[in-house]
Amino acid sequence: MAKTHTAQISPARGPWVLYVVLLNAPGVPWPEYEFAPGETVPTLAERSRALNALGYVFTDGTEWRWNEVTVTPGDPTSAVRLFASIEVEEASG
């Protein structure tokens, strides 16, 4: 069975960035793909192509889980940051 990782996507630094979280790998940079600047969320196909470019694929049966986090916790008027995550595995071959 292939080892799974969590991939996340967020616009926290400006353009949408997709990265694969590599736990238990100190000093190893996380694979990252930056989408072209724009106001729209990258499509499922665009996210899939980005993951493939990084050497990963979606695991069977997984779906993106979308969350929002307030910039100022506890403040109901605070702006929110949107991010999503999904389970992935290294592409074979």
Side-chain angles (χ1 to χ4, degrees):
M1 177 178 229
K3 184 175 181 180
T4 61
H5 303 278
T6 299
Q8 296 182 327
I9 186 169
S10 172
R13 298 187 318 226
W16 285 89
V17 176
L18 183 146
Y19 53 92
V20 178
V21 178
L22 300 178
L23 299 177
N24 301 320
V28 176
W30 292 354
E32 182 176 286
Y33 183 95
E34 187 172 302
F35 292 90
E39 294 184 20
T40 61
V41 177
T43 66
L44 181 59
E46 291 169 331
R47 288 177 261 155
S48 179
R49 284 193 297 270
L51 279 169
N52 291 159
L54 297 174
Y56 294 85
V57 295
F58 300 127
T59 57
D60 289 336
T62 59
E63 294 184 4
W64 287 93
R65 296 177 306 279
W66 288 92
N67 296 292
E68 59 182 47
V69 176
T70 57
V71 174
T72 308
D75 180 355
T77 63
S78 175
V80 297
R81 292 198 176 127
L82 183 64
F83 71 96
S85 60
I86 194 169
E87 294 304 306
V88 298
E89 60 188 20
E90 290 184 22
S92 59

